[in-house]
Every structure is written in C-alpha cells, then in structure tokens.
Amino acid sequence: MNKKYISLSLALVMSATMSGQNKNAPVNEDESKVQAFELPDLLTCTGGERVETAKQWEKKRRPELLKLFSQQEYGVTPRQTGIKVKHELVSSNPKAMNGLATEKQVRFTFTGKNKQTHQALLLLYIPNHAKGRVPVIVSYNFHGNQTTTFEEDVLFSPSRDLMKKAGSDNWVRGEQASRWSYELALQRGYAVATMNYHDICPDSPALMEHGIPSLLPNYNVESREANEWGAIGIWAWGYSRIADYLVKEKQIDKDCMVVLGHSRLGKTALWAGVQDKRFKVVISNDSGCGGAALSKRVFGENIARITGNFPHWFCPAFNAYSENEASMPFDQHELLALVAPRHVYVASAEDDSWADPKGEYLSAYYAGPAYQLYDMQGLPSATQPAVHQPQHYDVGYHIRSGKHDVTAYDWQCYLDFCDKVFQTKSDR
Ligand code: GCU
C-alpha cells in the first residue's frame, strides 16, 4: 500500500469518526470488559450547587438538564413550528374487536406556513364496557396501523406506499399483531391509540422530506445546525400532536395519558414524555442506546454505531461523543429523571444485549434521587432483578426472557403499573 493511500484512508477514518459516522466502531458485549466509568451526579448543578429540594430541581437543575439533552442529543424542539393540524373522523365502528371496543380512524392534516400539507392516520380503540372517561396508551407502530391487528376495516397507513420494500412481508395486515395486546388493554379499561411513525417522519434521511420536514421552511437533515432536531425529535413532537387530539376526545381521561414505545420508538417515547407533561406514565420498551441505557457503560450499541447507522436520528452535536462517551457531561439516567414526579417505566429483554439490559436497569435506578425529592420511591437496589420479577415503585422496571420485542407479558406489566399509578376506579 503506498503512503498516499494510507494517509488518505487515515484522513477518511478520522473525519468519519469526528462526525460520528463510524459504523464499524468496535462493540463490547462482554460484561467483564466494561471499563470503570463515572456518572454525572444527577443532583449537582453544572456550577457545583447541590440540589436539595423539588423546587431547586424544578427551577434550576431540571431546565439545565433539559437544555443539555436538547442541545447535545436530540436537538432543540422549535417553540413554534407554525404547523396547523386538522382532524377528520374517517370511520367509526362501535362493534370492533367482537364488540369489545369502538374503533375510530382519524386523519390528521398538517399544514405548514409554506402552505404545504401532509397527512397521517390515527387508529384509536376505546373500550365499550367502560363507564366514564378512560386512560389511554399512545404508541407508534413500525409498519402501519393495519399491521397491529387483523381487524379487516383498519385502513393502511399512508406511509406504506413510500416505505414498503417490494416483495417484503412487512406492512401486511396483522403482521405485528403479536406486539399489540389490544384485547387485554381494552378488557382492563384502557383505550389504545396508534399511528405509524413514518407518517410523521419517514425513517430514512433520503425520505424525510416526505414527512413533517416538508412543512418546515429551510429544514434539511443533511445540513443541519449542530443543535437542530432530528427524526427522534420530530417523532416526539408527533406524539404531542396525538395528545392534542386525545385531550379533546370525550371518552378519554386527559389526566391519564401514557406514552409507550419500543426500541427506537422507546427512545422517542422517553424524549416525548420528558418534554410533554401531559404524559403521566412514560414507558420505554427495550430502548437501548440513546434511550434508557447508560451511554458510559459502552455496552452493546454505542454512540459511534448509532450515529453512524442512523445519522438522522439525533442532532449533529451528539456525534462529538462517538467513541468518546467518557467526555459526556450527561447520561441517560438524567433523561429518565426528567420525567419525575410523573412515572417512568423501563423494560428490558434478557437476550437483547445490543440494548444493554443492565445499563437500562442502572439508568432507571440512578434516576431515583429525583423521585426522592418528591418523597417518591425509585428502584430500591442497584442490583438488577431476575427475569419476570417486575419492580413497581414510582419508577417501574422489569426484564423478561426472550428477544428484542414487545410481548403480552410486557403489556401485562405496563397495565399493572398504570393501574397502580391511576388507582383504577372499580367501574372501569
Ligand atoms: C437498531 C438500532 C437500535 C434501535 C433498533 C430498533 O437495532 O441499532 O438503536 O433501537 O434498531 O428500533 O429496532
């Protein structure tokens, strides 16, 4: 190999690393190789001041941390997007799921200041037997509303045409039904609302312009400012737009809204739940790197890998921590803590080492001191519980057997936790 070639490849590797594009960075999945690391202290402000009260937390430390996550990880959510939203009931079926639920399908039409429009489709199930207003679980799906159930009248999410790869079985009716325990949730008195996340913003840098970004003047994911939001920020914004609709639904209890997400959508649920206080329970299912898992353990997926493979998810400033987690002035336990005094729940799967189950647990554990400020109880032990031993304090956690997925067991745990939080009325 000649010298010129060597220095050229070195330059390429260096610039890739500096901009966080190192898809091939090494990955550690061996617990014995986790290096000692120091977590930033949740209750010590940047200037060194110690937080002793909930008031100090709310006035100083919480805003300071929120700013760090906005500017360094997910990007700043614009205060005003100028986007208007119209809702239209497309269909209503009072006898869905064998009479268990009323099914509503609602078209969201977003109009930007530039007069461009964009549409998304919400699917909502409301339990029929419930008297009065009911709690609701809001959760995006990966491949369209029609994949979450075999109910024939569920419309295909509009993003299918854009996102479905030819010949793939994804996007087929019922394909992801095992991830959606609708009947269980409905029987227990919960409404469930879902939307395809690509309807808000297609999950590909090349296709984002077919979503909400088309309504944002001057937004270009490839040439963003260091702190400009990315796809996770835009999806989180979309969760809030769903909440805007649900608070106006007569049968929904607006004080009992839950946001739940799996994997990349678990990262999104956390970021949405942190910013939007209308979500009273925030649930991260197997969210891993950039979600619940501590970055500084550098176990499983790491920042170099995630920013390399998914450059559009976070803001460009996050790339600075690629292969340099030790330099981070924050970590994900502080994100979870921002949900306090509302409730956060983290779930892991035993065979999901890519998402670092232990790092997910520790993060939930180290969020505890924020809850103590409110006389609430975080997770009691730094030792991760065994599988199928849910821990339901003011912070919730469980790890189940099996792979990266959402299962009926996960739903059952979430419903038990929400019941406890909402002290479900017997008539639900
Ligand atoms: C990839 C990615 C994860 C993400 C997951 C998912 O595995 O590396 O960060 O959570 O996809 O969303 O399914």
Side-chain angles (χ1 to χ4, degrees), residues 115-133:
K115 304 279 184 264
Q116 299 268 5
T117 60
H118 177 72
Q119 295 193 326
L121 195 60
L122 184 83
L123 171 64
L124 170 64
Y125 285 110
I126 303 172
N128 281 337
H129 68 278
K131 294 190 191 84
R133 292 174 183 260

mmCIF file with all atom_site columns, all heavy atoms in Angstrom, residues 115-133:
data_model
loop_
_atom_site.group_PDB
_atom_site.id
_atom_site.type_symbol
_atom_site.label_atom_id
_atom_site.label_alt_id
_atom_site.label_comp_id
_atom_site.label_asym_id
_atom_site.label_entity_id
_atom_site.label_seq_id
_atom_site.pdbx_PDB_ins_code
_atom_site.Cartn_x
_atom_site.Cartn_y
_atom_site.Cartn_z
_atom_site.occupancy
_atom_site.B_iso_or_equiv
_atom_site.pdbx_formal_charge
_atom_site.auth_seq_id
_atom_site.auth_comp_id
_atom_site.auth_asym_id
_atom_site.auth_atom_id
_atom_site.pdbx_PDB_model_num
ATOM 1   N N   . LYS A 1 115 ? -47.634 26.516 3.275  1.00 0.00 ? 115 LYS A N   1
ATOM 2   C CA  . LYS A 1 115 ? -48.894 26.050 2.659  1.00 0.00 ? 115 LYS A CA  1
ATOM 3   C C   . LYS A 1 115 ? -48.838 24.599 2.177  1.00 0.00 ? 115 LYS A C   1
ATOM 4   O O   . LYS A 1 115 ? -49.783 24.095 1.592  1.00 0.00 ? 115 LYS A O   1
ATOM 5   C CB  . LYS A 1 115 ? -49.326 26.949 1.461  1.00 0.00 ? 115 LYS A CB  1
ATOM 6   C CG  . LYS A 1 115 ? -49.472 28.413 1.806  1.00 0.00 ? 115 LYS A CG  1
ATOM 7   C CD  . LYS A 1 115 ? -50.826 28.675 2.479  1.00 0.00 ? 115 LYS A CD  1
ATOM 8   C CE  . LYS A 1 115 ? -51.073 30.129 2.759  1.00 0.00 ? 115 LYS A CE  1
ATOM 9   N NZ  . LYS A 1 115 ? -50.734 30.555 4.117  1.00 0.00 ? 115 LYS A NZ  1
ATOM 10  N N   . GLN A 1 116 ? -47.712 23.935 2.395  1.00 0.00 ? 116 GLN A N   1
ATOM 11  C CA  . GLN A 1 116 ? -47.642 22.504 2.059  1.00 0.00 ? 116 GLN A CA  1
ATOM 12  C C   . GLN A 1 116 ? -48.484 21.741 3.080  1.00 0.00 ? 116 GLN A C   1
ATOM 13  O O   . GLN A 1 116 ? -48.591 22.160 4.236  1.00 0.00 ? 116 GLN A O   1
ATOM 14  C CB  . GLN A 1 116 ? -46.205 21.993 2.205  1.00 0.00 ? 116 GLN A CB  1
ATOM 15  C CG  . GLN A 1 116 ? -45.212 22.662 1.323  1.00 0.00 ? 116 GLN A CG  1
ATOM 16  C CD  . GLN A 1 116 ? -45.065 21.895 0.016  1.00 0.00 ? 116 GLN A CD  1
ATOM 17  O OE1 . GLN A 1 116 ? -45.774 20.934 -0.225 1.00 0.00 ? 116 GLN A OE1 1
ATOM 18  N NE2 . GLN A 1 116 ? -44.170 22.362 -0.825 1.00 0.00 ? 116 GLN A NE2 1
ATOM 19  N N   . THR A 1 117 ? -49.035 20.598 2.652  1.00 0.00 ? 117 THR A N   1
ATOM 20  C CA  . THR A 1 117 ? -49.785 19.787 3.612  1.00 0.00 ? 117 THR A CA  1
ATOM 21  C C   . THR A 1 117 ? -49.210 18.375 3.667  1.00 0.00 ? 117 THR A C   1
ATOM 22  O O   . THR A 1 117 ? -48.542 17.917 2.743  1.00 0.00 ? 117 THR A O   1
ATOM 23  C CB  . THR A 1 117 ? -51.279 19.691 3.232  1.00 0.00 ? 117 THR A CB  1
ATOM 24  O OG1 . THR A 1 117 ? -51.362 19.097 1.947  1.00 0.00 ? 117 THR A OG1 1
ATOM 25  C CG2 . THR A 1 117 ? -51.957 21.036 3.246  1.00 0.00 ? 117 THR A CG2 1
ATOM 26  N N   . HIS A 1 118 ? -49.532 17.708 4.777  1.00 0.00 ? 118 HIS A N   1
ATOM 27  C CA  . HIS A 1 118 ? -49.054 16.341 4.961  1.00 0.00 ? 118 HIS A CA  1
ATOM 28  C C   . HIS A 1 118 ? -50.083 15.604 5.817  1.00 0.00 ? 118 HIS A C   1
ATOM 29  O O   . HIS A 1 118 ? -50.671 16.199 6.709  1.00 0.00 ? 118 HIS A O   1
ATOM 30  C CB  . HIS A 1 118 ? -47.676 16.360 5.645  1.00 0.00 ? 118 HIS A CB  1
ATOM 31  C CG  . HIS A 1 118 ? -47.180 14.982 5.914  1.00 0.00 ? 118 HIS A CG  1
ATOM 32  N ND1 . HIS A 1 118 ? -46.746 14.159 4.902  1.00 0.00 ? 118 HIS A ND1 1
ATOM 33  C CD2 . HIS A 1 118 ? -47.087 14.252 7.052  1.00 0.00 ? 118 HIS A CD2 1
ATOM 34  C CE1 . HIS A 1 118 ? -46.401 12.990 5.410  1.00 0.00 ? 118 HIS A CE1 1
ATOM 35  N NE2 . HIS A 1 118 ? -46.601 13.029 6.710  1.00 0.00 ? 118 HIS A NE2 1
ATOM 36  N N   . GLN A 1 119 ? -50.288 14.294 5.521  1.00 0.00 ? 119 GLN A N   1
ATOM 37  C CA  . GLN A 1 119 ? -51.326 13.569 6.272  1.00 0.00 ? 119 GLN A CA  1
ATOM 38  C C   . GLN A 1 119 ? -50.799 12.359 7.047  1.00 0.00 ? 119 GLN A C   1
ATOM 39  O O   . GLN A 1 119 ? -49.816 11.741 6.645  1.00 0.00 ? 119 GLN A O   1
ATOM 40  C CB  . GLN A 1 119 ? -52.403 13.106 5.296  1.00 0.00 ? 119 GLN A CB  1
ATOM 41  C CG  . GLN A 1 119 ? -53.118 14.314 4.694  1.00 0.00 ? 119 GLN A CG  1
ATOM 42  C CD  . GLN A 1 119 ? -54.383 13.944 3.975  1.00 0.00 ? 119 GLN A CD  1
ATOM 43  O OE1 . GLN A 1 119 ? -54.465 12.871 3.379  1.00 0.00 ? 119 GLN A OE1 1
ATOM 44  N NE2 . GLN A 1 119 ? -55.363 14.827 4.017  1.00 0.00 ? 119 GLN A NE2 1
ATOM 45  N N   . ALA A 1 120 ? -51.492 12.064 8.130  1.00 0.00 ? 120 ALA A N   1
ATOM 46  C CA  . ALA A 1 120 ? -51.159 10.896 8.953  1.00 0.00 ? 120 ALA A CA  1
ATOM 47  C C   . ALA A 1 120 ? -52.478 10.302 9.452  1.00 0.00 ? 120 ALA A C   1
ATOM 48  O O   . ALA A 1 120 ? -53.493 11.007 9.515  1.00 0.00 ? 120 ALA A O   1
ATOM 49  C CB  . ALA A 1 120 ? -50.290 11.323 10.130 1.00 0.00 ? 120 ALA A CB  1
ATOM 50  N N   . LEU A 1 121 ? -52.450 9.027  9.804  1.00 0.00 ? 121 LEU A N   1
ATOM 51  C CA  . LEU A 1 121 ? -53.694 8.360  10.198 1.00 0.00 ? 121 LEU A CA  1
ATOM 52  C C   . LEU A 1 121 ? -53.580 7.762  11.600 1.00 0.00 ? 121 LEU A C   1
ATOM 53  O O   . LEU A 1 121 ? -52.666 6.973  11.868 1.00 0.00 ? 121 LEU A O   1
ATOM 54  C CB  . LEU A 1 121 ? -53.968 7.244  9.183  1.00 0.00 ? 121 LEU A CB  1
ATOM 55  C CG  . LEU A 1 121 ? -55.354 6.633  9.169  1.00 0.00 ? 121 LEU A CG  1
ATOM 56  C CD1 . LEU A 1 121 ? -56.434 7.676  8.853  1.00 0.00 ? 121 LEU A CD1 1
ATOM 57  C CD2 . LEU A 1 121 ? -55.398 5.516  8.123  1.00 0.00 ? 121 LEU A CD2 1
ATOM 58  N N   . LEU A 1 122 ? -54.521 8.138  12.453 1.00 0.00 ? 122 LEU A N   1
ATOM 59  C CA  . LEU A 1 122 ? -54.540 7.619  13.830 1.00 0.00 ? 122 LEU A CA  1
ATOM 60  C C   . LEU A 1 122 ? -55.595 6.517  13.935 1.00 0.00 ? 122 LEU A C   1
ATOM 61  O O   . LEU A 1 122 ? -56.696 6.650  13.399 1.00 0.00 ? 122 LEU A O   1
ATOM 62  C CB  . LEU A 1 122 ? -54.897 8.747  14.804 1.00 0.00 ? 122 LEU A CB  1
ATOM 63  C CG  . LEU A 1 122 ? -54.861 8.355  16.283 1.00 0.00 ? 122 LEU A CG  1
ATOM 64  C CD1 . LEU A 1 122 ? -53.434 8.418  16.831 1.00 0.00 ? 122 LEU A CD1 1
ATOM 65  C CD2 . LEU A 1 122 ? -55.765 9.256  17.117 1.00 0.00 ? 122 LEU A CD2 1
ATOM 66  N N   . LEU A 1 123 ? -55.246 5.452  14.645 1.00 0.00 ? 123 LEU A N   1
ATOM 67  C CA  . LEU A 1 123 ? -56.212 4.384  14.951 1.00 0.00 ? 123 LEU A CA  1
ATOM 68  C C   . LEU A 1 123 ? -56.419 4.392  16.457 1.00 0.00 ? 123 LEU A C   1
ATOM 69  O O   . LEU A 1 123 ? -55.445 4.352  17.223 1.00 0.00 ? 123 LEU A O   1
ATOM 70  C CB  . LEU A 1 123 ? -55.624 3.034  14.503 1.00 0.00 ? 123 LEU A CB  1
ATOM 71  C CG  . LEU A 1 123 ? -56.372 1.774  14.922 1.00 0.00 ? 123 LEU A CG  1
ATOM 72  C CD1 . LEU A 1 123 ? -57.774 1.716  14.280 1.00 0.00 ? 123 LEU A CD1 1
ATOM 73  C CD2 . LEU A 1 123 ? -55.568 0.526  14.516 1.00 0.00 ? 123 LEU A CD2 1
ATOM 74  N N   . LEU A 1 124 ? -57.687 4.459  16.859 1.00 0.00 ? 124 LEU A N   1
ATOM 75  C CA  . LEU A 1 124 ? -57.993 4.560  18.294 1.00 0.00 ? 124 LEU A CA  1
ATOM 76  C C   . LEU A 1 124 ? -59.042 3.525  18.678 1.00 0.00 ? 124 LEU A C   1
ATOM 77  O O   . LEU A 1 124 ? -60.084 3.414  18.019 1.00 0.00 ? 124 LEU A O   1
ATOM 78  C CB  . LEU A 1 124 ? -58.529 5.980  18.575 1.00 0.00 ? 124 LEU A CB  1
ATOM 79  C CG  . LEU A 1 124 ? -59.127 6.265  19.949 1.00 0.00 ? 124 LEU A CG  1
ATOM 80  C CD1 . LEU A 1 124 ? -58.081 6.124  21.064 1.00 0.00 ? 124 LEU A CD1 1
ATOM 81  C CD2 . LEU A 1 124 ? -59.741 7.680  19.991 1.00 0.00 ? 124 LEU A CD2 1
ATOM 82  N N   . TYR A 1 125 ? -58.751 2.739  19.710 1.00 0.00 ? 125 TYR A N   1
ATOM 83  C CA  . TYR A 1 125 ? -59.738 1.806  20.265 1.00 0.00 ? 125 TYR A CA  1
ATOM 84  C C   . TYR A 1 125 ? -60.138 2.286  21.658 1.00 0.00 ? 125 TYR A C   1
ATOM 85  O O   . TYR A 1 125 ? -59.266 2.551  22.495 1.00 0.00 ? 125 TYR A O   1
ATOM 86  C CB  . TYR A 1 125 ? -59.151 0.389  20.377 1.00 0.00 ? 125 TYR A CB  1
ATOM 87  C CG  . TYR A 1 125 ? -59.043 -0.303 19.033 1.00 0.00 ? 125 TYR A CG  1
ATOM 88  C CD1 . TYR A 1 125 ? -57.804 -0.543 18.448 1.00 0.00 ? 125 TYR A CD1 1
ATOM 89  C CD2 . TYR A 1 125 ? -60.180 -0.691 18.345 1.00 0.00 ? 125 TYR A CD2 1
ATOM 90  C CE1 . TYR A 1 125 ? -57.711 -1.161 17.207 1.00 0.00 ? 125 TYR A CE1 1
ATOM 91  C CE2 . TYR A 1 125 ? -60.100 -1.305 17.101 1.00 0.00 ? 125 TYR A CE2 1
ATOM 92  C CZ  . TYR A 1 125 ? -58.865 -1.533 16.541 1.00 0.00 ? 125 TYR A CZ  1
ATOM 93  O OH  . TYR A 1 125 ? -58.782 -2.144 15.316 1.00 0.00 ? 125 TYR A OH  1
ATOM 94  N N   . ILE A 1 126 ? -61.445 2.349  21.872 1.00 0.00 ? 126 ILE A N   1
ATOM 95  C CA  . ILE A 1 126 ? -61.960 2.773  23.184 1.00 0.00 ? 126 ILE A CA  1
ATOM 96  C C   . ILE A 1 126 ? -62.823 1.636  23.732 1.00 0.00 ? 126 ILE A C   1
ATOM 97  O O   . ILE A 1 126 ? -63.703 1.144  23.010 1.00 0.00 ? 126 ILE A O   1
ATOM 98  C CB  . ILE A 1 126 ? -62.816 4.062  23.054 1.00 0.00 ? 126 ILE A CB  1
ATOM 99  C CG1 . ILE A 1 126 ? -61.981 5.176  22.409 1.00 0.00 ? 126 ILE A CG1 1
ATOM 100 C CG2 . ILE A 1 126 ? -63.338 4.522  24.404 1.00 0.00 ? 126 ILE A CG2 1
ATOM 101 C CD1 . ILE A 1 126 ? -62.780 6.422  22.062 1.00 0.00 ? 126 ILE A CD1 1
ATOM 102 N N   . PRO A 1 127 ? -62.590 1.193  24.963 1.00 0.00 ? 127 PRO A N   1
ATOM 103 C CA  . PRO A 1 127 ? -63.362 0.053  25.482 1.00 0.00 ? 127 PRO A CA  1
ATOM 104 C C   . PRO A 1 127 ? -64.844 0.407  25.620 1.00 0.00 ? 127 PRO A C   1
ATOM 105 O O   . PRO A 1 127 ? -65.180 1.479  26.124 1.00 0.00 ? 127 PRO A O   1
ATOM 106 C CB  . PRO A 1 127 ? -62.734 -0.222 26.852 1.00 0.00 ? 127 PRO A CB  1
ATOM 107 C CG  . PRO A 1 127 ? -62.007 1.023  27.215 1.00 0.00 ? 127 PRO A CG  1
ATOM 108 C CD  . PRO A 1 127 ? -61.633 1.721  25.938 1.00 0.00 ? 127 PRO A CD  1
ATOM 109 N N   . ASN A 1 128 ? -65.715 -0.512 25.184 1.00 0.00 ? 128 ASN A N   1
ATOM 110 C CA  . ASN A 1 128 ? -67.162 -0.242 25.239 1.00 0.00 ? 128 ASN A CA  1
ATOM 111 C C   . ASN A 1 128 ? -67.757 -0.414 26.623 1.00 0.00 ? 128 ASN A C   1
ATOM 112 O O   . ASN A 1 128 ? -68.725 0.246  26.972 1.00 0.00 ? 128 ASN A O   1
ATOM 113 C CB  . ASN A 1 128 ? -67.902 -1.162 24.257 1.00 0.00 ? 128 ASN A CB  1
ATOM 114 C CG  . ASN A 1 128 ? -67.789 -0.655 22.823 1.00 0.00 ? 128 ASN A CG  1
ATOM 115 O OD1 . ASN A 1 128 ? -67.550 0.545  22.590 1.00 0.00 ? 128 ASN A OD1 1
ATOM 116 N ND2 . ASN A 1 128 ? -67.937 -1.547 21.865 1.00 0.00 ? 128 ASN A ND2 1
ATOM 117 N N   . HIS A 1 129 ? -67.182 -1.300 27.416 1.00 0.00 ? 129 HIS A N   1
ATOM 118 C CA  . HIS A 1 129 ? -67.819 -1.579 28.716 1.00 0.00 ? 129 HIS A CA  1
ATOM 119 C C   . HIS A 1 129 ? -67.512 -0.499 29.753 1.00 0.00 ? 129 HIS A C   1
ATOM 120 O O   . HIS A 1 129 ? -68.132 -0.451 30.803 1.00 0.00 ? 129 HIS A O   1
ATOM 121 C CB  . HIS A 1 129 ? -67.368 -2.943 29.248 1.00 0.00 ? 129 HIS A CB  1
ATOM 122 C CG  . HIS A 1 129 ? -65.913 -2.978 29.624 1.00 0.00 ? 129 HIS A CG  1
ATOM 123 N ND1 . HIS A 1 129 ? -64.907 -3.166 28.711 1.00 0.00 ? 129 HIS A ND1 1
ATOM 124 C CD2 . HIS A 1 129 ? -65.285 -2.823 30.814 1.00 0.00 ? 129 HIS A CD2 1
ATOM 125 C CE1 . HIS A 1 129 ? -63.735 -3.137 29.318 1.00 0.00 ? 129 HIS A CE1 1
ATOM 126 N NE2 . HIS A 1 129 ? -63.935 -2.928 30.597 1.00 0.00 ? 129 HIS A NE2 1
ATOM 127 N N   . ALA A 1 130 ? -66.549 0.357  29.441 1.00 0.00 ? 130 ALA A N   1
ATOM 128 C CA  . ALA A 1 130 ? -66.114 1.325  30.459 1.00 0.00 ? 130 ALA A CA  1
ATOM 129 C C   . ALA A 1 130 ? -67.141 2.421  30.657 1.00 0.00 ? 130 ALA A C   1
ATOM 130 O O   . ALA A 1 130 ? -67.755 2.898  29.701 1.00 0.00 ? 130 ALA A O   1
ATOM 131 C CB  . ALA A 1 130 ? -64.791 1.933  30.046 1.00 0.00 ? 130 ALA A CB  1
ATOM 132 N N   . LYS A 1 131 ? -67.319 2.804  31.908 1.00 0.00 ? 131 LYS A N   1
ATOM 133 C CA  . LYS A 1 131 ? -68.200 3.939  32.191 1.00 0.00 ? 131 LYS A CA  1
ATOM 134 C C   . LYS A 1 131 ? -67.299 5.127  32.470 1.00 0.00 ? 131 LYS A C   1
ATOM 135 O O   . LYS A 1 131 ? -66.292 5.005  33.140 1.00 0.00 ? 131 LYS A O   1
ATOM 136 C CB  . LYS A 1 131 ? -69.041 3.652  33.439 1.00 0.00 ? 131 LYS A CB  1
ATOM 137 C CG  . LYS A 1 131 ? -70.020 2.527  33.242 1.00 0.00 ? 131 LYS A CG  1
ATOM 138 C CD  . LYS A 1 131 ? -70.995 2.467  34.436 1.00 0.00 ? 131 LYS A CD  1
ATOM 139 C CE  . LYS A 1 131 ? -71.799 1.188  34.394 1.00 0.00 ? 131 LYS A CE  1
ATOM 140 N NZ  . LYS A 1 131 ? -71.082 0.041  35.009 1.00 0.00 ? 131 LYS A NZ  1
ATOM 141 N N   . GLY A 1 132 ? -67.680 6.249  31.929 1.00 0.00 ? 132 GLY A N   1
ATOM 142 C CA  . GLY A 1 132 ? -66.861 7.449  32.178 1.00 0.00 ? 132 GLY A CA  1
ATOM 143 C C   . GLY A 1 132 ? -65.621 7.468  31.321 1.00 0.00 ? 132 GLY A C   1
ATOM 144 O O   . GLY A 1 132 ? -65.459 6.681  30.389 1.00 0.00 ? 132 GLY A O   1
ATOM 145 N N   . ARG A 1 133 ? -64.745 8.376  31.663 1.00 0.00 ? 133 ARG A N   1
ATOM 146 C CA  . ARG A 1 133 ? -63.533 8.565  30.864 1.00 0.00 ? 133 ARG A CA  1
ATOM 147 C C   . ARG A 1 133 ? -62.502 7.487  31.181 1.00 0.00 ? 133 ARG A C   1
ATOM 148 O O   . ARG A 1 133 ? -62.408 7.028  32.309 1.00 0.00 ? 133 ARG A O   1
ATOM 149 C CB  . ARG A 1 133 ? -62.951 9.938  31.169 1.00 0.00 ? 133 ARG A CB  1
ATOM 150 C CG  . ARG A 1 133 ? -63.836 11.060 30.652 1.00 0.00 ? 133 ARG A CG  1
ATOM 151 C CD  . ARG A 1 133 ? -63.296 12.406 31.100 1.00 0.00 ? 133 ARG A CD  1
ATOM 152 N NE  . ARG A 1 133 ? -64.187 13.465 30.667 1.00 0.00 ? 133 ARG A NE  1
ATOM 153 C CZ  . ARG A 1 133 ? -63.974 14.229 29.598 1.00 0.00 ? 133 ARG A CZ  1
ATOM 154 N NH1 . ARG A 1 133 ? -62.910 14.053 28.848 1.00 0.00 ? 133 ARG A NH1 1
ATOM 155 N NH2 . ARG A 1 133 ? -64.827 15.175 29.263 1.00 0.00 ? 133 ARG A NH2 1
#
